[in-house]
Amino acid sequence: MRSVRARAALGATLVVAVALAAAGLAVLLVLRANLTDRAGLEAEVAAREVAGELALGAAYAELDLGDEETRPVQVTDEDGRVVAVSKDLEAISGTGTAQVVPVPPAASPAPGDDDGDDGDDRERDDDHGSGPARGEVSSDAPDFANGTATVDGATADFRFASVELTTDEDVTLTVHAGAPLAAEQEAVDTVRTSMLTGLPLMLLVVAGVTWLVTRRALRPVEGIRRELAAITASEDLGRRVPEPDSRDEIARLARTTNETLAVLEASVGRQRRFVADASHELRSPIASLRTQLEVGAAHPGLLDVPGAVADTVRLQVLAADLLLLARLDAGERPGRAVVDLGALVREEVSQRTADRIPPEVSVEDGAPLEVTGSRSQLARVAGNLLDNAERHADRAVAVSVRAERGDVLVEVTDDGAGVPEAERERIFERFVRLDEARGRDEGGAGLGLAIARDVAARHGGTLTVDAAPGGGARFTLRLPAPSGAGPRRTAADS
């Protein structure tokens, strides 16, 4: 039962079995009821025929009781005594009396017998005032009952109908006539046998068809599984699972799997390029620092201390950038502290005492300039944007902070050569430097803008670049302001 095909086949078979069993039982009950009603109708017709003869004054011995084997008849009086029965009727049940021997004529009231007692006649009339009128058969629905009758040594089941009548002599009689139930029993037995025989075969067919259909439907899934296993074994993320031509759930699963593989391939590719670029960037300062230290060890007078310090600082900054990128790639979420971007920018600019071009700061007064996030990461974004502007500016660097339509904007502009429109997205990729910034002293490692955009995205914001109004580049950091007023936390930082 670990197979989906087996569980589907078993489930479908059980459902069909329950449905067929319920339907078969309903068919049998309806068939039995219809055949029983038909037998009851035949018995009622036979009983009314005999009752009609008695109502017309026929003597008991002259009654036409028909074929006793198919229509046994028993006539009883108001005291339950049998006054007439079918020929060769040996035993009967279901009529209220099992007597099959008629009462002798002397023991029963003879037609027209009158003792001259008007009081007795009135008493008889009162006793039977609710029955049918003299010489008539009751029009009420007959009473039905199932029973047996033994005729000439053969016992069978019958449906009996009981009809009342009153003779011309004011004698109330009840005619019990039966119709055989053999046809009903035979039909029900035949249908039941057919169902019991056909049900296992039908369930076997249902199980087999369900197995085959499920197997065919799941065949693409097995193909997807085999291909994924092959991809895992070969570690070749360029391979893709087969996509069926159908538009069902399996086809959508295959397409989603291929999309996941494409994203995974791109992610692994970026990771490999990142490792390769990081190793390349680390190699240069480490090699330069080692060379200077070796020269200093051999010739102390030739040691370039400022150059060694610069290489060490560059190595430290690069290591910090790589560590931050690794944390961002690992899904680190920013904190939930409230940060005043105006105060943060002023503080960041005040610490940049060695800048070649002092930045001009403009902060909008009276506007809410607070955002929610990590103070240290947002400070890194501001620092990276200022570093980039310092690197490319000719004579001026400006930074402004203002509010706009529920967002807080930080704009950093310079008067340099600007960023070509074709390169405005590429510069945010990791380890990307334009040709004019290839030198080590001016270009850095090409991680600053990539880190700034990643941090902005994780704070729910954006970082874009366009042309500054007076020439040069303008970088715009847009961050959403807090959506509601709630208890504030201090921005000591996360």
Side-chain angles (χ1 to χ4, degrees):
M1 299 309 296
R2 296 181 180 179
S3 170
V4 175
R5 294 191 298 270
R7 292 197 296 270
L10 178 60
T13 302
L14 290 176
V15 171
V16 173
V18 172
L20 289 179
L25 181 60
V27 168
L28 288 176
L29 293 177
V30 172
L31 178 61
R32 173 174 290 177
N34 289 338
L35 293 177
T36 301
D37 291 343
R38 179 180 176 183
L41 181 59
E42 294 178 1
E44 180 182 359
V45 171
R48 289 191 180 277
E49 289 179 357
V50 175
E53 295 181 19
L54 291 172
L56 294 176
Y60 300 140
E62 298 174 356
L63 293 176
D64 181 10
L65 301 181
D67 187 357
E68 66 275 3
E69 294 184 358
T70 60
R71 195 175 66 177
V73 176
Q74 181 189 57
V75 182
T76 60
D77 62 11
E78 54 193 4
D79 295 325
R81 294 175 300 179
V82 177
V83 297
V85 294
S86 298
K87 182 182 178 182
D88 298 329
L89 181 61
E90 301 174 0
I92 192 171
S93 65
T95 62
T97 176
Q99 183 179 352
V100 294
V101 179
V103 176
S108 62
D113 185 13
D114 189 357
D115 56 3
D117 189 346
D118 294 340
D120 292 342
D121 290 341
R122 285 193 299 272
E123 183 179 355
R124 186 184 300 117
D125 292 340
D126 293 340
D127 291 341
H128 301 288
S130 60
R134 293 184 180 185
E136 293 184 1
V137 179
S138 175
S139 60
D140 295 339
D143 295 331
F144 293 98
N146 291 341
T148 61
T150 303
V151 180
D152 199 13
T155 302
D157 294 327
F158 289 86
R159 178 73 166 173
F160 289 100
S162 301
V163 176
E164 287 188 354
L165 73 134
T166 302
T167 65
D168 290 338
E169 287 77 18
D170 198 21
V171 177
T172 301
L173 301 176
T174 303
V175 179
H176 308 279
L181 294 175
E184 176 263 344
Q185 294 173 348
E186 182 179 357
V188 171
D189 291 342
T190 301
V191 173
R192 181 170 54 243
T193 302
S194 300
M195 288 182 176
L196 293 178
T197 302
L199 182 61
L201 296 178
M202 186 172 294
L203 294 180
L204 183 61
V205 171
V206 170
V209 171
T210 304
W211 176 276
L212 294 177
V213 171
T214 308
R215 178 182 180 183
R216 181 179 180 84
L218 293 179
R219 187 176 301 165
V221 177
E222 180 62 22
I224 295 174
R225 187 203 64 79
R226 286 197 300 267
E227 186 62 25
L228 284 176
I231 292 173
T232 303
S234 64
E235 298 183 357
D236 181 8
L237 296 179
R239 300 173 62 173
R240 296 292 181 266
V241 301
E243 295 187 14
D245 296 332
S246 60
R247 298 182 180 180
D248 56 9
E249 294 83 353
I250 297 178
R252 292 196 293 270
L253 172 63
R255 286 193 292 272
T256 303
T257 302
N258 285 333
E259 292 171 359
T260 302
L261 289 173
V263 173
L264 183 60
E265 181 185 15
S267 176
V268 171
R270 287 196 302 270
Q271 188 69 22
R272 290 173 178 173
R273 290 193 300 272
F274 175 80
V275 173
D277 293 337
S279 63
H280 175 75
E281 293 294 334
L282 288 171
R283 187 182 300 115
S284 296
I286 291 176
S288 175
L289 183 60
R290 178 180 177 180
T291 300
Q292 295 180 55
L293 292 177
E294 288 177 348
V295 169
H299 307 282
L302 300 178
L303 177 62
D304 183 9
V305 176
V309 171
D311 285 336
T312 302
V313 171
R314 183 184 177 200
L315 187 61
Q316 181 183 10
V317 172
L318 181 57
D321 289 343
L322 293 176
L323 178 60
L324 178 56
L325 284 174
R327 289 164 54 192
L328 294 177
D329 289 342
E332 179 183 275
R333 295 183 178 274
R336 302 299 300 171
V338 176
V339 180
D340 187 336
L341 282 184
L344 183 145
V345 169
R346 284 196 179 100
E347 180 180 351
E348 185 67 22
V349 171
S350 66
Q351 296 176 356
R352 303 176 66 88
T353 57
D355 283 349
R356 177 175 60 91
I357 303 174
E360 297 181 3
V361 181
S362 173
V363 178
E364 184 179 8
D365 295 331
L369 303 176
E370 295 178 339
V371 297
T372 302
S374 168
R375 181 179 179 83
S376 63
Q377 292 184 8
L378 293 176
R380 175 69 69 87
V381 173
N384 289 353
L385 294 179
L386 289 172
D387 289 340
N388 181 76
E390 286 285 341
R391 187 177 298 116
H392 296 283
D394 291 335
R395 292 180 302 276
V397 174
V399 54
S400 65
V401 185
R402 59 188 175 88
E404 181 180 284
R405 296 193 299 272
D407 295 333
V408 180
L409 273 63
V410 178
E411 294 182 344
V412 179
T413 59
D414 63 72
D415 61 349
V419 181
E421 187 173 355
E423 304 288 344
R424 288 178 182 174
E425 285 299 319
R426 182 170 170 268
I427 62 173
F428 291 106
E429 297 178 6
R430 298 175 182 182
F431 298 104
V432 170
R433 287 171 291 176
L434 301 184
D435 292 339
E436 63 174 305
R438 287 290 182 181
R440 184 189 72 175
D441 293 338
E442 290 119 11
L447 293 177
L449 294 180
I451 291 175
R453 171 165 278 191
D454 283 352
V455 171
R458 281 166 173 75
H459 282 74
T462 59
L463 177 61
T464 58
V465 61
D466 58 1
R474 177 176 61 184
F475 287 83
T476 302
L477 172 66
R478 180 184 293 269
L479 296 174
S483 57
R488 294 188 177 183
R489 290 169 39 196
T490 60
D493 190 5
S494 26

